Short mmCIF file of all heavy atoms in Angstrom, two decimals:
data_model
loop_
_atom_site.label_atom_id
_atom_site.label_comp_id
_atom_site.label_asym_id
_atom_site.label_seq_id
_atom_site.Cartn_x
_atom_site.Cartn_y
_atom_site.Cartn_z
N LEU A 47 239.36 28.69 281.00
CA LEU A 47 238.55 27.99 281.99
C LEU A 47 238.74 26.48 281.87
O LEU A 47 238.91 25.77 282.85
CB LEU A 47 237.06 28.28 281.76
CG LEU A 47 236.36 29.30 282.61
CD1 LEU A 47 234.87 29.31 282.24
CD2 LEU A 47 236.54 29.03 284.10
N LEU A 48 238.63 26.01 280.64
CA LEU A 48 238.80 24.59 280.38
C LEU A 48 238.99 24.37 278.89
O LEU A 48 238.75 25.27 278.09
CB LEU A 48 237.60 23.79 280.90
CG LEU A 48 236.20 24.26 280.55
CD1 LEU A 48 235.81 23.89 279.14
CD2 LEU A 48 235.18 23.67 281.53
N LYS A 49 239.43 23.15 278.56
CA LYS A 49 239.72 22.84 277.16
C LYS A 49 239.45 21.36 276.90
O LYS A 49 239.53 20.53 277.82
CB LYS A 49 241.18 23.15 276.84
CG LYS A 49 242.17 22.33 277.67
CD LYS A 49 243.58 22.87 277.56
CE LYS A 49 244.52 22.04 278.44
NZ LYS A 49 245.71 22.75 278.84
N TYR A 50 239.08 21.07 275.67
CA TYR A 50 238.91 19.69 275.23
C TYR A 50 239.81 19.46 274.03
O TYR A 50 239.72 20.16 273.03
CB TYR A 50 237.46 19.40 274.85
CG TYR A 50 237.32 18.05 274.20
CD1 TYR A 50 237.28 16.88 274.98
CD2 TYR A 50 237.27 17.92 272.81
CE1 TYR A 50 237.18 15.65 274.38
CE2 TYR A 50 237.18 16.69 272.22
CZ TYR A 50 237.13 15.55 273.00
OH TYR A 50 237.05 14.32 272.42
N PHE A 51 240.67 18.42 274.14
CA PHE A 51 241.50 18.04 273.00
C PHE A 51 241.08 16.66 272.50
O PHE A 51 240.98 16.44 271.30
CB PHE A 51 242.97 18.02 273.40
CG PHE A 51 243.54 19.39 273.66
CD1 PHE A 51 244.57 19.57 274.57
CD2 PHE A 51 243.06 20.51 273.01
CE1 PHE A 51 245.10 20.83 274.82
CE2 PHE A 51 243.57 21.78 273.25
CZ PHE A 51 244.60 21.93 274.16
N SER A 52 240.88 15.71 273.40
CA SER A 52 240.49 14.36 273.03
C SER A 52 240.10 13.62 274.31
O SER A 52 240.25 14.14 275.41
CB SER A 52 241.63 13.62 272.33
OG SER A 52 242.72 13.47 273.20
N GLY A 53 239.59 12.39 274.13
CA GLY A 53 239.28 11.57 275.30
C GLY A 53 237.90 11.83 275.85
O GLY A 53 236.95 12.07 275.10
N ASP A 54 237.78 11.80 277.15
CA ASP A 54 236.49 11.97 277.83
C ASP A 54 235.83 13.27 277.40
O ASP A 54 236.40 14.35 277.58
CB ASP A 54 236.72 11.97 279.34
CG ASP A 54 235.43 11.93 280.14
OD1 ASP A 54 234.34 12.19 279.56
OD2 ASP A 54 235.49 11.65 281.35
N PRO A 55 234.62 13.18 276.85
CA PRO A 55 233.97 14.40 276.36
C PRO A 55 233.48 15.32 277.47
O PRO A 55 233.11 16.47 277.19
CB PRO A 55 232.80 13.87 275.53
CG PRO A 55 232.52 12.52 276.09
CD PRO A 55 233.84 11.97 276.53
N LEU A 56 233.46 14.84 278.68
CA LEU A 56 233.09 15.70 279.80
C LEU A 56 234.38 16.22 280.44
O LEU A 56 235.18 15.47 280.98
CB LEU A 56 232.27 14.91 280.83
CG LEU A 56 231.73 15.73 282.00
CD1 LEU A 56 230.78 16.83 281.51
CD2 LEU A 56 231.01 14.82 283.00
N VAL A 57 234.53 17.52 280.32
CA VAL A 57 235.78 18.16 280.74
C VAL A 57 235.53 19.01 281.97
O VAL A 57 234.57 19.78 282.02
CB VAL A 57 236.32 19.06 279.61
CG1 VAL A 57 237.62 19.72 280.03
CG2 VAL A 57 236.53 18.26 278.34
N LYS A 58 236.40 18.87 282.94
CA LYS A 58 236.29 19.70 284.16
C LYS A 58 237.37 20.76 284.13
O LYS A 58 238.52 20.51 283.79
CB LYS A 58 236.39 18.83 285.39
CG LYS A 58 235.24 17.84 285.52
CD LYS A 58 235.16 17.20 286.87
CE LYS A 58 234.05 16.17 286.91
NZ LYS A 58 232.71 16.79 286.67
N GLY A 59 236.97 21.97 284.50
CA GLY A 59 237.91 23.07 284.51
C GLY A 59 238.05 23.66 285.90
O GLY A 59 237.72 23.03 286.90
N ILE A 60 238.53 24.89 285.90
CA ILE A 60 238.75 25.56 287.18
C ILE A 60 237.45 26.10 287.73
O ILE A 60 236.46 26.26 286.99
CB ILE A 60 239.78 26.70 287.03
CG1 ILE A 60 239.28 27.76 286.03
CG2 ILE A 60 241.13 26.16 286.61
CD1 ILE A 60 240.13 29.01 285.99
N LYS A 61 237.44 26.38 289.02
CA LYS A 61 236.33 27.04 289.70
C LYS A 61 235.01 26.31 289.55
O LYS A 61 233.94 26.95 289.56
CB LYS A 61 236.20 28.49 289.23
CG LYS A 61 237.50 29.28 289.39
CD LYS A 61 237.34 30.75 289.05
CE LYS A 61 238.69 31.45 289.26
NZ LYS A 61 238.60 32.90 289.06
N GLY A 62 235.04 25.01 289.42
CA GLY A 62 233.82 24.22 289.41
C GLY A 62 233.10 24.16 288.08
O GLY A 62 231.99 23.63 287.98
N PHE A 63 233.69 24.73 287.03
CA PHE A 63 233.07 24.69 285.71
C PHE A 63 233.35 23.35 285.02
O PHE A 63 234.40 22.73 285.24
CB PHE A 63 233.59 25.82 284.83
CG PHE A 63 233.05 27.17 285.20
CD1 PHE A 63 233.70 27.97 286.13
CD2 PHE A 63 231.88 27.63 284.62
CE1 PHE A 63 233.19 29.21 286.48
CE2 PHE A 63 231.37 28.88 284.96
CZ PHE A 63 232.01 29.66 285.89
N GLU A 64 232.44 22.95 284.17
CA GLU A 64 232.63 21.79 283.32
C GLU A 64 231.96 22.03 281.98
O GLU A 64 231.12 22.93 281.84
CB GLU A 64 232.07 20.52 283.97
CG GLU A 64 230.57 20.53 284.17
CD GLU A 64 230.06 19.22 284.78
OE1 GLU A 64 230.79 18.61 285.57
OE2 GLU A 64 228.93 18.85 284.44
N ALA A 65 232.37 21.25 280.99
CA ALA A 65 231.76 21.38 279.67
C ALA A 65 231.69 20.00 279.05
O ALA A 65 232.53 19.13 279.33
CB ALA A 65 232.56 22.32 278.79
N GLU A 66 230.68 19.81 278.21
CA GLU A 66 230.49 18.52 277.55
C GLU A 66 230.57 18.70 276.05
O GLU A 66 229.84 19.53 275.47
CB GLU A 66 229.16 17.90 277.94
CG GLU A 66 228.99 16.50 277.35
CD GLU A 66 227.73 15.82 277.82
OE1 GLU A 66 226.86 16.48 278.42
OE2 GLU A 66 227.61 14.60 277.58
N PHE A 67 231.44 17.94 275.43
CA PHE A 67 231.59 17.93 273.98
C PHE A 67 230.64 16.89 273.40
O PHE A 67 230.74 15.70 273.74
CB PHE A 67 233.03 17.61 273.61
CG PHE A 67 233.27 17.35 272.15
CD1 PHE A 67 232.76 18.21 271.18
CD2 PHE A 67 234.02 16.26 271.74
CE1 PHE A 67 232.99 17.98 269.84
CE2 PHE A 67 234.27 16.03 270.40
CZ PHE A 67 233.75 16.88 269.44
N ILE A 68 229.69 17.32 272.58
CA ILE A 68 228.79 16.39 271.90
C ILE A 68 229.05 16.55 270.41
O ILE A 68 228.58 17.50 269.77
CB ILE A 68 227.32 16.68 272.25
CG1 ILE A 68 227.10 16.57 273.76
CG2 ILE A 68 226.41 15.67 271.52
CD1 ILE A 68 225.67 16.85 274.21
N LYS A 69 229.80 15.60 269.87
CA LYS A 69 230.26 15.72 268.49
C LYS A 69 229.09 15.76 267.51
O LYS A 69 229.10 16.53 266.55
CB LYS A 69 231.21 14.57 268.15
CG LYS A 69 231.91 14.74 266.82
CD LYS A 69 232.96 13.65 266.63
CE LYS A 69 233.69 13.85 265.31
NZ LYS A 69 234.75 12.83 265.11
N SER A 70 228.08 14.93 267.78
CA SER A 70 226.95 14.84 266.85
C SER A 70 226.16 16.14 266.78
O SER A 70 225.47 16.40 265.80
CB SER A 70 226.03 13.70 267.26
OG SER A 70 225.51 13.93 268.56
#
Side-chain angles (χ1 to χ4, degrees):
Chain A
L47 260 184
L48 49 78
K49 61 193 179 204
Y50 171 79
F51 291 150
S52 63
D54 189 345
L56 185 61
V57 180
K58 296 193 183 298
I60 60 171
K61 305 185 179 185
F63 286 90
E64 65 178 32
E66 185 175 12
F67 170 48
I68 302 179
K69 189 173 182 179
S70 61

